[in-house]
Amino acid sequence: NVVLDCRGFTVRGDNEAGDYGLILGDFDNFTMRSCVFTNFQTPVLVNGSANNANFSYNMFMNSTNSTAGINTAAASKTVFIVNATVSNFTIYNNTFKEFYADMGGKGEYPTLNGSDGGNLTLINFSAEAQNIIIAYNNFTNSKGGDGSQGSETVFCPSCDGGSGGAGGNVYGIVINEFSNVNISFNVFFILSFN
């Protein structure tokens, strides 16, 4: 049983590619609350089987993934990654804001010809997920890269989540294999591709 209560403390990264704010392996009964994670490419990575996890009242913000240069392929980005089988997993009353995927070849100069921008996924469950609650979260001011075929998808069951290739798409919540999932009362505001 582990409780990480930051009491509003900010954990700050340096916005480098491959940086993680929190990496969790196999665990039971984990709670994280009242934490602010800023400037991490991926603030949370769950990389092992998990049972009874609760992420509440946290803020994940201000992250770019600007490793791609002019005329290069853009990397896709995922904010909250769950790469393992999980059950009884709650993401409740958190704020996800100001995340931006690579602009790719567009970079700061959108008139130049270059590769499409990277995809942005805010929450991605890539393995089996059971008894999941994602409720009362705010997802605001986040954009995929400047993709020529970008699209916006708030909830995408059983899809790629934009992890492969570029295109400037934005995905709010992706859950690939699931049973008993409750997604309710979340606010999605200004999720867009550039």
Side-chain angles (χ1 to χ4, degrees), residues 13 16 26 55-56 86 180 190 192-193:
E16 292 295 321
D26 295 337
F55 295 84
S56 300
V86 295
N180 195 22
I190 312 180
S192 68
F193 55 93

Side-chain angles (χ1 to χ4, degrees), residues 68-148:
I70 300 301
N71 295 318
T72 62
S76 291
K77 173 190 193 114
T78 304
V79 176
F80 196 112
I81 303 172
V82 181
N83 275 342
T85 301
V86 295
S87 62
N88 304 315
F89 202 100
T90 300
I91 301 174
Y92 177 84
N93 204 7
N94 299 282
T95 299
F96 296 78
K97 71 176 187 177
E98 299 173 6
F99 287 96
Y100 305 96
D102 275 346
M103 295 291 282
K106 311 298 185 192
E108 296 178 10
Y109 311 98
T111 58
L112 292 179
N113 292 323
S115 301
D116 289 337
N119 295 312
L120 171 65
T121 305
L122 296 174
I123 298 176
N124 186 7
F125 287 82
S126 63
E128 185 179 351
Q130 298 177 358
N131 303 325
I132 307 302
I133 298 173
I134 302 174
Y136 294 97
N137 298 286
N138 288 295
F139 302 90
T140 61
N141 297 332
S142 295
K143 295 183 178 183
D146 189 352
S148 61

Side-chain angles (χ1 to χ4, degrees), residues 14-74:
D14 59 8
N15 243 338
E16 292 295 321
D19 278 358
Y20 298 95
L22 177 68
I23 300 174
L24 297 169
D26 295 337
F27 66 87
D28 290 327
N29 305 316
F30 176 82
T31 297
M32 184 177 88
R33 63 177 170 244
S34 301
C35 298
V36 178
F37 281 82
T38 184
N39 296 334
F40 289 98
Q41 180 179 345
T42 301
V44 177
L45 170 63
V46 177
N47 221 12
S49 297
N51 185 36
N52 297 327
N54 188 316
F55 295 84
S56 300
Y57 305 102
N58 300 291
M59 180 178 289
F60 307 103
M61 61 184 286
N62 293 333
S63 180
T64 60
N65 183 13
S66 57
T67 57
I70 300 301
N71 295 318
T72 62

Side-chain angles (χ1 to χ4, degrees), residues 101 117-121 143-145 147 149-152 162 166-171 193:
N119 295 312
L120 171 65
T121 305
K143 295 183 178 183
Q149 299 181 14
S151 65
E152 302 163 354
N169 300 305
V170 177
Y171 301 90
F193 55 93

